[in-house]
Amino acid sequence: MKLFGAALPLVLSLAFTGCKTSNGAKRAEDYSSSTRAASELARQPSKNGLAAETASIKDERPVILCFGDSITAGYNLDAGESYPDFLQKALDEKGYKYRVVNQGISGNTTKDALDRVEDAVALHPAVVLVELGGNDGLRGIPIASTRANFDGILAKLKTSGAKVILLGITLPPQYGKVYIDQFNQTYALMAKKYGMTLFPFLYKDIYGVQGAIQKDGIHPTVMGSQMIVKNVLPLVEPVLQK
C-alpha cells in the first residue's frame, strides 16, 4: 500500500465556515436530493446509447475505469469536463493507448456502487480509480455499513486482477469529530486490507483554490477536474505501458 500525503485534512470545512449545524444539515439534505435526482437521470438510456456502445465495442484499448459518484460523473458540468475526460486527454497527450471509462453516478452511496460493481468487473479494466463514500458521510450512514460495502466493492475489484487506486474524501465539521475520524480512517483501513494504493484526499491542493470548486462547496469545476488529474495521474502512470 502506498500513502500519498499526510492524514486526511478537514479542508471541506472551508465551505461551511460560519454555518450553524442546522444549516449544514439542510445543505447536505439538499445535496443528497439533487444528486439522487441526477442519479435517476443517469440511469435513463441515452439517445446515443447504441452508438456509444458500438464505439466502445470497437475500441480494444485496455480500460482505465473511473468508478465513483458525482465527483467522477462530472456533476453540473458539460460533456467532456469531468476529471475522467481530462484524464483521457492527458494520457493521449503522453502517448498512452488506454481508454478511460467513466462509471460515476451522481448520488451513489457505497451500497449503490456495490450493487453495480459487477458492471465494472465486466469491463476487465487494467486500472480502477475508486472515488466513493462522500454520499455515505453526508447522509450519516453508519460507518460499519460503509465499510462493509467497501469490502464488497474492493474484494470484487481485487479478484478481477485490476490495479485499484482508492481516492479518499472527508466531511465538514458539523458531522462530529468521532464520526469524521472513523469515516476518514475507513480509506486507510481498506487500502491496507487489500494492499491498494491510497490517495487520502482527492482535493489535495485543490480545495480553497479560487475557481476550483462549484458554488455548492462540494463538486469540482472544469478547473477543479483538471487539477484532480494532476493528483491522480502520478498514481496511474507507473502501472501503464506505452
Side-chain angles (χ1 to χ4, degrees):
M1 176 185 66
K2 301 175 183 177
L3 295 177
F4 292 78
L8 290 174
L10 295 181
V11 185
L12 283 179
S13 63
L14 293 172
F16 296 85
T17 301
C19 295
K20 296 180 180 179
T21 302
S22 59
N23 290 339
K26 179 63 165 61
R27 187 166 190 170
E29 180 181 349
D30 291 343
Y31 165 71
S32 295
S33 297
S34 65
T35 51
R36 278 197 296 271
S39 177
E40 291 305 313
L41 287 174
R43 293 177 183 277
Q44 294 178 9
S46 167
K47 294 179 180 178
N48 298 320
L50 182 58
E53 183 178 349
T54 302
S56 67
I57 292 173
K58 294 180 180 178
D59 193 334
E60 296 181 352
R61 291 176 296 174
V63 169
I64 296 176
L65 178 63
C66 298
F67 189 67
D69 52 37
S70 54
I71 294 175
T72 297
Y75 177 77
N76 206 31
L77 298 175
D78 291 334
E81 295 180 347
S82 68
Y83 98 74
D85 290 308
F86 288 113
L87 178 59
Q88 181 72 74
K89 292 176 183 178
L91 293 173
D92 291 346
E93 290 172 358
K94 286 176 170 285
Y96 292 105
K97 306 300 182 183
Y98 288 81
R99 175 167 63 98
V100 178
V101 175
N102 188 339
Q103 279 193 349
I105 296 182
S106 293
N108 259 202
T109 62
T110 53
K111 174 61 170 67
D112 297 321
L114 178 59
D115 289 343
R116 62 186 179 92
V117 71
E118 292 291 353
D119 294 336
V121 173
L123 289 173
H124 305 291
V127 181
V128 184
L129 295 165
V130 178
E131 174 275 309
L132 290 163
N135 287 305
D136 292 55
L138 289 176
R139 298 175 194 179
I141 291 173
I143 297 296
S145 296
T146 297
R147 290 181 181 178
N149 294 331
F150 263 128
D151 261 326
I153 293 166
L154 299 179
K156 282 284 186 182
L157 294 176
K158 180 79 172 180
T159 57
S160 75
K163 171 68 176 180
V164 182
I165 299 169
L166 187 57
L167 306 175
I169 197 69
T170 191
L171 299 172
Q174 63 265 34
Y175 286 84
K177 186 179 187 305
V178 173
Y179 184 80
I180 292 172
D181 286 348
Q182 291 179 348
F183 178 86
N184 292 346
Q185 290 164 7
T186 296
Y187 296 100
L189 289 171
M190 291 295 113
K192 182 177 181 180
K193 180 175 182 177
Y194 292 99
M196 295 174 174
T197 299
L198 171 66
F199 193 90
F201 187 55
L202 182 60
Y203 283 163
K204 181 179 182 293
D205 299 326
I206 298 174
Y207 214 94
V209 176
Q210 186 174 3
I213 303 295
Q214 296 180 35
K215 291 181 180 180
D216 62 12
I218 298 173
H219 299 96
T221 60
V222 175
M223 174 182 169
S225 294
Q226 293 171 317
M227 294 173 76
I228 287 175
V229 173
K230 291 183 179 180
N231 280 344
V232 302
L233 189 58
L235 283 65
V236 174
E237 273 196 278
V239 300
L240 303 183
Q241 297 179 351
K242 287 189 176 180

